[in-house]
Amino acid sequence: MSMNKAHRTLCSSRKWARLAEQRILPWALEGVELGEDVLELGPGYGANLRVLVERVPQLTALEIDGATARRLERDWGGRARILHGDASAMPLPDGGFSAVVCFTMLHHVPTSTLQDRLLAEAFRVLRPGGVFAGSDSQPTLPFRLLHLGDTMNVVGPEGFRARLTAAGFDDAVVDRDRRGHSIRFRARKR
């Protein structure tokens, strides 16, 4: 799940951290009750993690890249539980979380099959009544240029609701931002 140098630079920047804090998370989580024990999938450089750690009593972050997970542990380990692992095969027990979230990371999962496994795993680790929520980018020219040489398997809004339902979720909602550059989603485990 590679990222080119320009992409890594952007995602580790203060500018991206501000964007996550001021626009991405407020829009993606509008009206979503996360509860007390939240799992973030694919925190990357921690832009979303640093916001979430202030909003929820317990935060766990699951990162696939070992070096990135170690960096997150160094920077945030005192405030969040950081795990190294694959979100399509989570090393976590069933029903442990009140919410599972992911932001601008699904397009880095290389195949639709692995994305669907991630959705099924998110469902598995949620407790009844829990919510799965997040956002992902849509293909614009700048987005495509930023992903040259990267893994880029975009999740379009068409059909994603059905994929969430197939993973077991109820009340799935998928919509676009007003410019069409991002989608947000939320679904519940009954």
Side-chain angles (χ1 to χ4, degrees):
M1 296 184 206
S2 63
M3 288 175 66
N4 65 43
K5 185 175 180 176
H7 198 164
R8 289 191 309 268
T9 299
L10 173 65
C11 289
S12 63
S13 71
R14 287 190 177 132
K15 179 181 177 180
W16 183 256
R18 278 193 308 275
L19 182 66
E21 180 180 15
Q22 295 171 2
R23 288 183 43 203
I24 295 171
L25 267 70
W27 178 70
L29 296 177
E30 181 181 17
V32 174
E33 291 295 326
L34 296 175
E36 70 285 347
D37 199 353
V38 176
L39 171 63
E40 182 186 9
L41 305 177
Y45 293 97
N48 303 305
L49 185 149
R50 65 187 290 219
V51 176
L52 290 169
V53 78
E54 298 295 332
R55 289 184 63 179
V56 299
Q58 281 191 279
L59 179 64
T60 300
L62 181 65
E63 172 56 43
I64 195 167
D65 182 74
T68 303
R70 288 188 293 279
R71 188 177 313 112
L72 291 170
E73 176 63 34
R74 181 193 69 216
D75 295 345
W76 296 100
R79 303 200 49 208
R81 181 171 68 149
I82 309 298
L83 301 174
H84 173 224
D86 183 344
S88 67
M90 293 187 212
L92 296 163
D94 295 355
F97 296 95
S98 59
V100 176
V101 296
C102 61
F103 308 97
T104 63
M105 63 76 69
L106 285 174
H107 65 272
H108 285 288
V109 179
T111 67
S112 296
T113 299
L114 286 174
Q115 288 173 345
D116 289 342
R117 284 188 202 159
L118 180 150
L119 301 179
E121 283 289 277
F123 182 82
R124 181 184 65 78
V125 301
L126 273 174
R127 55 181 73 127
V131 65
F132 178 48
S135 63
D136 207 18
S137 301
Q138 293 297 285
T140 61
L141 181 58
F143 177 81
R144 288 180 192 279
L145 291 173
L146 183 64
H147 286 77
L148 289 175
D150 280 11
T151 300
M152 186 180 82
N153 182 28
V154 177
V155 175
E158 315 78 27
F160 193 56
R161 183 177 181 277
R163 291 172 70 188
L164 290 165
T165 301
F169 291 104
D170 289 305
D171 306 324
V173 176
V174 180
D175 58 2
R176 285 183 185 258
D177 69 345
R178 60 183 158 78
R179 297 181 323 180
H181 294 182
S182 298
I183 63 166
R184 69 179 171 186
F185 55 88
R186 62 262 337 258
R188 191 158 297 285
K189 179 177 183 176
R190 291 224 187 259

